[in-house]
Each structure stands twice: as structure tokens, then as C-alpha cells.
Amino acid sequence: SRPGAMPGASIPAMDLLPASWPALWAIETPLAELVVRAAVLYFGILLLLRLMPRRTGGELGTMDLVMILLVTEAATHSLGGYRSLGDGLFVIAVLMLIDYTVNALSYRLPWFERLVASPPLPIMLDGRLQRRSMRREFITEDELRAELRAHDIEDLADVERAYVEPEGEITFLTRKRSDGDAQGAAGP
């Protein structure tokens, strides 16, 4: 008995190493269940993020954000939620395969790209603010002016069009100047 311990209480011995190394890696959950769980989480979070304002995710693409969230979640489970590292590693591999497939399909099939990625949203057209689009994305006029300054554009009158891109970034197309300067996009 150690000092300060309750009399008669025994302290269980702590194992330093696992009893069976192969059991640590064995997949215990049915593979089909792991695949379905990974797919439902991936597409469920993708759908929810698609419904949210674009600027919520910062400058990460929606699919990138989904991938980061799910790999983190799967890694967390492999550290403690699952009893096997094999389960966690398998889920991470499935998530990576789903992400690769979604990106490949988005590249090859324009209709699939439109399904999983938001198109650029105009917040300024022909020099006029599109207040409905700005409300939808929670962009105030002060925030828009701050973005103008960040892109070295002095006045709203200098802007022909402005868009909120799918990743949440605001881009601008400036008006043609009378001195012959070409219309250009301001961006980072």
C-alpha cells in the first residue's frame, strides 16, 4: 500500500505495453459500416456547408474543409473512440478516396461541379450593390469598402463587378478608365 492510499484498497497495475500488438491494428467494425459512416458524414457535412454563407469557412474550399474536419474526427476516434487503430486508419483511407473521387468528378463533369461547389455570387453588378446577395452572405457595406481598400481600390465607383467566390474571397473587376487602362481583376 502506498502512503495516503485508503487502507485495503488495491491499485490496479498499469500496463506499459499492449498485451497484443496485432489486436491494436485489427479492424473490429464491419468494413461496410465504416464505409457508410464515412460517406454519410462526408456528404452530410458537404451539404450543410453548401447551405452556409461562403465566408464561414474562410479561404478554404468547402471540400477541403470537409476533408479536414472528417480526417480530424476519424483520427480522434482512432485514438480513443475505436478500440483499434485499424478502424481509424481505414476510415481515413475511405475519406481520402471519397475526397479524391469527388474532386475528380468535379473536374470531369461540370454538372457535378455545380452540385458540390457554389458558383461565384455577384454582390455588385454594373457598379450597383446587390443588397440581397450581400445579406445572404452577411457582408456589410463597410466590410465591402474594407475589402476595396485591401485591394487598393479607392471607391465603389471604380468597381464594375464584385463577387464572393466559392472559397469566401471577394474579388473585383474594375471599370475601364478613360486614360486607356484595361479592365482588370484586383486580387491577392
Side-chain angles (χ1 to χ4, degrees):
S1 178
R2 55 173 212 206
M6 294 180 72
S10 65
I11 299 172
M14 182 168 65
D15 293 331
L16 189 57
L17 298 173
S20 169
W21 284 100
L24 182 67
W25 297 99
I27 295 179
E28 297 173 348
T29 308
L31 294 179
E33 179 182 340
L34 293 174
V35 169
V36 168
R37 285 176 180 264
V40 167
L41 282 173
Y42 184 92
F43 289 109
I45 292 174
L46 182 65
L47 174 68
L48 291 172
L49 288 174
R50 180 86 160 74
L51 297 174
M52 293 183 67
R54 292 174 174 98
R55 296 184 335 139
T56 302
E59 292 197 17
L60 286 175
T62 302
M63 288 183 287
D64 299 329
L65 186 59
V66 168
M67 189 63 193
I68 289 169
L69 289 171
L70 291 176
V71 167
T72 303
E73 177 66 15
T76 301
H77 281 290
S78 69
L79 291 174
Y82 299 124
R83 292 185 355 201
S84 159
L85 286 174
D87 284 357
L89 290 174
F90 182 77
V91 169
I92 290 170
V94 169
L95 290 170
M96 288 180 168
L97 178 64
I98 291 170
D99 190 58
Y100 178 83
T101 303
V102 166
N103 282 308
L105 289 173
S106 295
Y107 177 75
R108 288 177 174 65
L109 304 171
W111 66 267
F112 193 79
E113 170 72 16
R114 288 188 300 273
L115 181 67
V116 298
S118 302
L121 180 71
I123 56 174
M124 198 169 178
L125 291 173
D126 300 322
R128 289 185 308 227
L129 296 175
Q130 303 298 302
R131 301 239 180 235
R132 176 178 281 166
S133 295
M134 290 174 66
R135 273 192 306 273
R136 179 175 171 214
E137 295 297 318
F138 301 114
I139 297 172
T140 65
E141 192 170 332
D142 288 339
E143 288 174 312
L144 185 59
R145 289 182 187 279
E147 286 288 331
L148 287 171
R149 290 189 299 275
H151 288 91
D152 293 325
I153 301 172
E154 293 181 21
D155 191 5
L156 282 172
D158 296 336
V159 177
E160 177 70 25
R161 295 180 182 181
Y163 297 92
V164 179
E165 299 296 337
E167 296 80 24
E169 178 186 8
I170 299 176
T171 57
F172 301 96
L173 298 174
T174 56
R175 295 183 185 275
K176 288 184 181 178
R177 297 211 168 92
S178 59
D179 60 3
D181 287 349
Q183 176 177 338

